[in-house]
Amino acid sequence: MKYNSEGDLINTFKEVYFKKNNNKRSDFIVFEEMNTNWGKPDLVIIYYDKANLLKRVGILSKYSSIPIFTNLAAYAMFYLASLTKTTLNNLKDFLKVHTGQFNNVLDVLTKRGLVYIYNNTIRIRAKRKVFFIKRIEVYEAKIENWKRAIYQAQRHLWFTSESYIITPAEMSSDISKKITSYCKKAGIGLVLQESKDSFKTVSKPIGRGLLDSYISWKFNELLVDEVLNEK
């Protein structure tokens, strides 16, 4: 397949991916060019728990508005998720913010129904009721310069164990083997387009399950907002 741009390759892959996976008993959402503060993956595909997501959205939809989920709020949730509970002072020390910023963070977390606060103690609600992501797949597409694609895909391993590169399969057997070897060493997956409607996963990434990160909470709340906006 000949492409004028990587965007064309991504669009073709996305169409084939939807056809292949839409009929499965899985719920997923696709984001393009997501800013992770350390790169923008071509595609981020998030698999999630729809039933519990809809329960939380149903509760939040009763309010006229909810605050925007900020980066500081995401860092706070990442910290709180690693603990049974902690004090407000400990959370403030972790975030390294002044009192006004800290109060804004608490406002976001409470109004979005993510935490309990009592006296000077704070903890997250039952995680299954507030965090819905099961898997995060990330894809980088490259028509040429596959070494750069591997470098870009590697950069996403801090928040996902399932990072892939996508490239057309129009290459020699030696080059294909070389790319596969490089991807395995880098811990990422390789997807080759074999025909117009066929993509083959030649090498899978070294899966370690869903990784804990502040960006996972950003994705989680973005997912909540997407569903809320559909109502």
Side-chain angles (χ1 to χ4, degrees):
M1 292 291 296
K2 296 289 185 181
Y3 290 100
N4 294 320
S5 70
E6 270 119 27
D8 292 338
L9 174 57
I10 277 292
N11 287 335
T12 302
F13 174 76
K14 192 166 61 172
E15 289 175 11
V16 173
Y17 192 99
F18 269 99
K19 288 179 182 177
K20 180 180 178 182
N21 293 283
N22 256 351
N23 293 328
K24 295 183 178 180
R25 295 176 63 85
S26 299
D27 294 292
F28 64 89
I29 189 169
V30 177
F31 297 105
E32 297 185 46
E33 296 288 331
M34 287 287 297
N35 186 0
T36 66
N37 293 333
W38 202 34
K40 292 184 178 181
D42 290 324
L43 282 184
V44 176
I45 301 177
I46 298 174
Y47 284 82
Y48 60 92
D49 177 350
K50 186 175 182 179
N52 280 320
L53 169 63
L54 291 179
K55 287 179 183 177
R56 181 161 161 232
V57 167
I59 294 171
L60 293 178
S61 64
K62 297 175 183 177
Y63 301 98
S64 57
S65 65
I66 59 171
I68 294 171
F69 192 75
T70 61
N71 283 343
L72 276 176
Y75 280 114
M77 289 305 296
F78 169 59
Y79 174 73
L80 292 172
S82 67
L83 305 167
T84 304
K85 62 182 178 180
T86 191
T87 66
L88 294 176
N89 292 332
N90 285 343
L91 177 58
K92 186 172 183 286
D93 289 342
F94 171 78
L95 295 176
K96 294 180 173 61
V97 293
H98 60 66
T99 301
Q101 287 177 304
F102 185 62
N103 288 337
N104 286 338
V105 170
L106 295 182
D107 186 62
V108 171
L109 299 186
T110 52
K111 288 183 178 178
R112 294 185 71 98
L114 291 166
V115 298
Y116 289 112
I117 298 176
Y118 48 100
N119 296 327
N120 190 44
T121 302
I122 183 170
R123 65 179 176 86
I124 69 168
R125 293 177 181 269
K127 194 171 181 180
R128 65 182 176 81
K129 294 183 178 180
V130 296
F131 188 83
F132 316 106
I133 296 176
K134 295 179 176 179
R135 285 170 44 214
I136 301 175
E137 296 178 0
V138 176
Y139 295 87
E140 291 284 0
K142 276 289 180 285
I143 301 172
E144 300 173 341
N145 199 351
W146 52 267
K147 286 186 179 180
R148 176 161 178 77
I150 291 174
Y151 166 74
Q152 289 175 319
Q154 249 187 320
R155 287 178 63 178
H156 307 315
L157 291 176
W158 69 273
F159 70 88
T160 178
S161 60
E162 297 183 67
S163 187
Y164 296 81
I165 67 169
I166 309 167
T167 189
E170 295 172 348
M171 61 186 75
S172 68
S173 175
D174 287 343
I175 293 295
S176 179
K177 288 179 181 178
K178 190 173 184 180
I179 295 176
T180 303
S181 176
Y182 269 72
C183 285
K184 287 181 177 179
K185 288 178 182 178
I188 63 173
L190 172 63
V191 177
L192 296 181
Q193 183 177 19
E194 298 182 307
S195 65
K196 181 180 178 180
D197 299 315
S198 176
F199 287 82
K200 181 180 180 181
T201 302
V202 176
S203 177
K204 291 187 176 182
I206 302 172
R208 295 170 301 202
L210 184 63
L211 305 182
D212 291 328
S213 68
Y214 90 93
I215 203 71
S216 296
W217 283 98
K218 284 281 287 186
F219 288 151
N220 188 75
E221 295 308 294
L222 180 60
L223 180 59
V224 170
D225 291 342
E226 285 282 321
V227 177
L228 265 174
N229 291 334
E230 291 174 0
K231 286 187 169 289

